[in-house]
Amino acid sequence: MIFMKKNKGHFDFTFTKIEKQYKKALDLGYNFITCKKFADNQNKLKKHTIVNRIDIDLSVKKAARLGNIFNRLGIKGTFFIRLHEPKYNPFSFENYRIIKSLIKDGHEIGYHSEIIVQGKLWNEDPQFCLLRDIDVINRMFNIKVSGVASHRSGLTLLNNLDFWKGKKASKYGLYEAYEESNEFNLWGKSFYISDSEWYQWKCYNKGKLVKGDQRSFGEHLDDMHNLIYLLIHSDTYYDKHFYEGEYWGGYAF
């Protein structure tokens, strides 16, 4: 199948539009679950299931906006938080309050890890960094983190996902969001849709890129995939335009 490229630009990623797309999924009968729920039930899923993942790369405040949308619609998601991003501190007064509210509302909190970068910059063992960071999150929020999503490396050109080569996340009592194993194979089983290119969507079918298909999450819903792995980023969304609010390196957050 050939898709016409739709480059609508970044003016398509409003909170209003993403809420409508989630609402459309519910109207079509899709069932939303967290990554942890997939890990626990991957062989017993309902037909037309969406695993709802949210990476908080820069903005915890915008994650709160997404959490409010999910609460209105009665769905849950998995929010992956970073510990070492210089533009946000998950333990600041307001960010801590927001993350605690997400937990209280029944959403899952995971660790958006940068352990290869940490190990290289600090001359520390990445495994030690992983266990220490998860312990910090668990203690601060009084939870037990079940999952890790490796954050893309950015300017360092290091790949945090490399830590997991030849390792099983289950050895650490975890799942890794992109692993392909008997314990957790969401990437290999699903139709993956992501806003991670900031100005357009992309998708993978069972781990293979679908070239030229930049349809939105809402547009993909008409295909009625049995299992969708949806990844969105809190930073991508806004009320009227991308350059409203606060700024960092040209990005609003």
Side-chain angles (χ1 to χ4, degrees):
M1 186 179 294
I2 299 175
F3 300 97
M4 294 297 291
K5 184 173 182 179
K6 290 187 176 183
N7 188 350
K8 300 176 183 176
H10 213 323
F11 294 93
D12 200 42
F13 289 88
T14 65
F15 285 108
T16 298
K17 287 183 178 180
I18 194 62
E19 181 167 2
K20 287 180 179 178
Q21 291 174 71
Y22 275 97
K23 177 65 164 56
K24 177 180 177 178
L26 290 172
D27 291 342
L28 288 172
Y30 279 93
N31 173 52
F32 284 89
I33 63 173
T34 64
C35 294
K36 174 65 163 61
K37 192 164 184 181
F38 172 83
D40 292 341
N41 301 277
Q42 64 175 320
N43 296 317
K44 298 178 291 184
L45 297 177
K46 294 181 180 178
K47 192 175 182 180
H48 305 315
T49 290
I50 298 174
V51 180
N52 189 27
R53 169 182 163 191
I54 308 92
D55 286 358
I56 308 178
D57 283 359
L58 296 173
S59 178
V60 178
K61 290 181 181 179
K62 286 191 173 185
R65 296 285 300 276
L66 293 174
N68 289 337
I69 289 173
F70 300 156
N71 292 344
R72 282 196 296 272
L73 297 177
I75 62 181
K76 306 301 180 188
T78 300
F79 291 80
F80 287 96
I81 64 172
R82 299 170 69 185
L83 289 192
H84 309 292
E85 163 52 45
K87 296 302 175 182
Y88 85 78
N89 173 8
F91 309 134
S92 70
F93 292 120
E94 182 60 7
N95 289 345
Y96 179 84
R97 185 199 66 78
I98 289 169
I99 295 169
K100 287 286 285 188
S101 293
L102 292 172
I103 295 167
K104 181 181 178 182
D105 291 335
H107 303 292
E108 180 190 4
I109 299 299
Y111 174 42
H112 206 19
S113 71
E114 300 171 90
I115 52 180
I116 292 290
V117 175
Q118 291 168 240
K120 184 70 173 178
L121 294 178
W122 299 342
N123 194 29
E124 293 183 350
D125 180 357
Q127 177 175 278
F128 173 75
C129 294
L130 171 71
L131 297 176
R132 178 182 57 195
D133 284 4
I134 288 178
D135 183 56
V136 168
I137 296 172
N138 286 343
R139 288 173 180 268
M140 284 297 295
F141 294 110
N142 193 28
I143 60 175
K144 185 180 186 301
V145 167
S146 297
V148 172
S150 298
H151 180 66
R152 60 184 174 185
S153 54
L155 296 176
T156 68
L157 302 182
L158 298 170
N159 189 348
N160 292 296
L161 196 57
D162 284 347
F163 172 80
W164 297 103
K165 289 181 177 179
K167 297 185 181 71
K168 281 194 171 184
S170 58
K171 172 186 174 183
Y172 302 90
L174 302 166
Y175 64 80
E176 207 292 325
Y178 290 114
E179 74 177 276
E180 297 180 74
S181 69
N182 292 331
E183 291 87 357
F184 192 92
N185 191 17
L186 179 53
W187 176 251
K189 289 183 175 181
S190 67
F191 191 85
Y192 172 89
I193 308 169
S194 173
D195 66 4
S196 58
E197 292 188 352
W198 291 85
Y199 63 91
Q200 66 185 17
W201 295 87
K202 65 179 180 180
C203 61
Y204 289 71
N205 188 15
K206 295 180 172 61
K208 295 183 179 180
L209 177 66
V210 183
K211 295 181 180 179
D213 189 352
Q214 281 85 39
R215 288 180 296 164
S216 70
F217 163 51
E219 290 169 318
H220 279 293
L221 292 171
D222 295 324
D223 294 337
M224 296 301 294
H225 295 285
N226 280 337
L227 178 60
I228 291 176
Y229 185 3
L230 175 64
L231 167 61
I232 66 172
H233 296 73
S234 58
D235 326 295
T236 307
Y237 299 90
Y238 48 82
D239 287 308
K240 294 189 173 91
H241 60 81
F242 186 51
Y243 294 103
E244 66 193 19
E246 304 169 83
Y247 298 91
W248 174 80
Y251 299 129
F253 63 95

